[in-house]
Amino acid sequence: MIEKIRAWSNKYSVELMAAVFLLYSVYINRADNIYSYVKPWYVIDYSYGFGSRLLIGSILHLFCGEVVTDAAAYGFVVASLCLLCVAFALFAGYIYRGGGNQEVKKAVLFLIVFYLVSPASPEYLWTVENMGRLDTYLYLVTLLIAFVYFGIKNMYIRYLLFMILGVSAVFIHQVYFFLFFPFLLVVMLQDIWKSECNRRNMICAAVTALIISGVFLYMQLGSGIYYDYETLMVKLNEHSDLPIDGAPMKAEYFWTLKDHFYKNMVPEIPHHLKYGFMLVCMLVPVWGGYLWIWIHAINRSYKRQKTKYILMLCTNLAYLPVFVLMNDWGRWFAALFIVGFLDIMLLAGDGDDDICHALKTLGAAIIKNPIPFILVILYMSTFEKFEGLNFPEQVTDFYYTTYNIKEWLLHR
């Protein structure tokens, strides 16, 4: 019996370590309350209107009845975070075990550890500014899409589930279209190329993308709330003991896109550009490592495969609108790095030749000289996790410390 347990734990060691690490972090590091800005979306449901962000509140009302309590909403969030941790652990372990030779497995293990200590680790979803953010459910849906890709062989069922999950994500929050939808596009591109551009696969992928895009446009332009602002706030407070902040309701349902840009984004532009640039510089190991893998794969591939990789990289253009129009740059950076990690893991798990060759090269370098890679992991672990709006504290500390050193040198 002990031997069987030992053999099982060895086989699923990555899943166990990732799950224990993340679940323990939820246990001891989670914020004590749902972030005030997102509390209304645990109360509002489809009786208030029809649009994005109403699905989670509707689900809670199914469990809680007419009144959603603070305790029930918080418990729902914690349970969702635990489910996310388990889903990520299962995904990471599946990719690792399917990695083939030892060099690829070493590279995959390095990337998993590297990601888990990075500012975009799932831990960012239970910080003070992100506890209860709807991004939690978007991330969970994204992992479910990966499971569908690997687990469902029937093409029609697979694409039907892709469509259902994608539409559900837009119903949870329309920002899915910019943050996590690029991963689904990469999944469908991989499926198309794997089928050697089979017409049925291409049609299914196009229909899926068009339906999700259509739902997004409707949620963005044609949906709304039935009540005026004052009536909405009265009704929300009648259906919960959560302290409902009126600012998010006014911003999300009564402001125009122009209002968002001039009231939210424009005042933050100097701050975002300065610290955003510094963050990009300080996180070179993240985007630089991902980019090296892609460039290695592109250089090694033949013309048709190059097109696939270039199209996959172009999906990142979806992030431009939120960086230009909205000011929650912490969340945007987190999603960008998450999807970058998931893209590479998905291709590795699918046995993509050129990506696996890049990982094999990376793994051989890790085996030959592990010290630089350990130092990179230690460096990444010094950063706090991404918040909703703010950058990791280390970025501002680096700026002011450097500024003080400059002042000291100039005035010696």
Side-chain angles (χ1 to χ4, degrees):
M1 183 65 178
I2 294 176
E3 289 300 320
K4 286 184 179 180
I5 294 173
R6 184 180 292 118
W8 184 87
S9 61
N10 286 336
K11 181 179 180 180
Y12 297 103
S13 57
V14 171
E15 288 97 327
L16 289 170
M17 287 187 291
V20 169
F21 173 78
L22 291 173
L23 289 171
Y24 181 67
S25 179
V26 171
Y27 186 71
I28 64 168
N29 292 328
R30 71 184 188 277
D32 293 332
N33 291 288
I34 298 172
Y35 185 49
S36 60
Y37 193 89
V38 299
K39 283 184 177 182
W41 284 287
Y42 290 89
V43 181
I44 194 168
D45 63 8
Y46 290 114
S47 67
Y48 291 83
F50 187 80
S52 186
R53 310 192 200 195
L54 306 184
L55 182 58
I56 296 300
S58 299
I59 292 172
L60 262 173
H61 276 289
L62 289 176
F63 290 110
C64 300
E66 191 172 339
V67 176
V68 176
T69 65
D70 199 345
Y74 185 77
F76 183 85
V77 171
V78 173
S80 300
L81 289 171
C82 291
L83 184 60
L84 174 65
C85 294
V86 173
F88 175 83
L90 292 173
F91 173 79
Y94 178 84
I95 302 301
Y96 174 78
R97 285 185 285 107
N101 61 49
Q102 287 302 311
E103 288 85 358
V104 174
K105 284 190 171 184
K106 286 287 184 184
V108 168
L109 184 60
F110 167 76
L111 290 175
I112 292 170
V113 175
F114 180 74
Y115 167 67
L116 285 176
V117 302
S118 76
S121 163
E123 292 176 284
Y124 91 97
L125 289 166
W126 51 87
T127 60
V128 172
E129 280 189 24
N130 284 324
M131 186 68 177
R133 290 271 188 189
L134 301 181
D135 303 41
T136 300
Y137 314 105
L138 303 183
Y139 194 170
L140 186 55
V141 167
T142 302
L143 290 172
L144 291 176
I145 286 170
F147 294 148
V148 168
Y149 177 74
F150 288 120
I152 304 297
K153 302 305 179 186
N154 184 285
M155 182 193 68
Y156 296 109
I157 296 176
R158 186 165 65 246
Y159 277 96
L160 177 62
L161 291 174
F162 286 163
M163 184 188 68
I164 292 171
L165 289 169
V167 168
S168 299
V170 175
F171 271 73
I172 292 169
H173 196 318
Q174 74 272 26
V175 81
Y176 168 79
F177 192 76
F178 303 109
L179 299 189
F180 293 98
F181 183 53
F183 176 74
L184 178 54
L185 293 177
V186 168
V187 169
M188 293 192 295
L189 282 169
Q190 176 66 3
D191 195 52
I192 289 170
W193 254 259
K194 194 174 177 181
S195 69
E196 298 182 347
C197 296
N198 179 281
R199 182 179 295 179
R200 289 182 303 169
N201 286 70
M202 294 175 70
I203 291 172
C204 286
V207 169
T208 299
L210 285 172
I211 289 174
I212 294 171
S213 301
V215 172
F216 163 76
L217 287 174
Y218 176 76
M219 291 296 181
Q220 199 69 20
L221 304 173
S223 60
I225 298 298
Y226 301 144
Y227 306 104
D228 59 54
Y229 172 71
E230 288 75 16
T231 306
L232 173 64
M233 293 307 299
V234 169
K235 286 189 169 293
L236 284 174
N237 283 294
E238 286 176 353
H239 292 99
S240 178
D241 65 354
L242 278 79
I244 304 296
D245 186 353
M249 292 291 96
K250 185 174 290 186
E252 300 304 334
Y253 296 113
F254 300 96
W255 282 7
T256 64
L257 188 62
K258 183 178 178 181
D259 290 330
H260 277 287
F261 184 71
Y262 284 103
K263 293 180 181 180
N264 272 346
M265 187 61 194
V266 170
E268 298 289 341
I269 285 176
H271 174 270
H272 283 351
L273 290 180
K274 178 171 67 176
Y275 293 113
F277 174 76
M278 290 184 60
L279 178 67
V280 169
C281 293
M282 295 176 75
L283 294 182
V284 165
V286 178
W287 64 263
Y290 292 167
L291 198 58
W292 178 88
I293 292 171
W294 285 105
I295 291 172
H296 184 99
I298 290 171
N299 289 339
R300 185 179 181 273
S301 61
Y302 57 89
K303 186 175 181 179
R304 191 176 176 186
Q305 285 290 98
K306 286 184 194 293
T307 303
K308 180 186 80 170
Y309 295 135
I310 291 170
L311 287 173
M312 288 178 172
L313 285 173
C314 284
T315 61
N316 291 302
L317 294 174
Y319 289 91
L320 288 178
V322 289
F323 276 102
V324 172
L325 297 173
M326 303 297 172
N327 65 349
D328 284 4
W329 278 30
R331 292 164 61 205
W332 313 157
F333 272 117
L336 178 62
F337 290 152
I338 289 167
V339 170
F341 168 77
L342 294 180
D343 287 345
I344 293 170
M345 291 294 99
L346 177 106
L347 293 172
D350 207 32
D352 186 272
D353 287 341
D354 300 310
I355 290 292
C356 285
H357 189 273
L359 293 175
K360 183 178 178 181
T361 304
L362 176 63
I366 293 171
I367 292 170
K368 184 178 180 180
N369 190 10
I371 299 301
F373 298 94
I374 294 172
L375 291 176
V376 167
I377 287 175
L378 291 175
Y379 169 70
M380 292 306 300
S381 69
T382 63
F383 286 87
E384 290 182 341
K385 307 309 174 189
F386 283 118
E387 294 284 357
L389 171 65
N390 297 317
F391 300 110
E393 191 175 310
Q394 287 72 23
V395 178
T396 53
D397 288 345
F398 182 86
Y399 174 83
Y400 286 111
T401 301
T402 305
Y403 179 83
N404 291 336
I405 291 173
K406 184 203 76 170
E407 290 293 301
W408 179 75
L409 290 173
L410 289 177
H411 297 93
R412 285 186 64 185

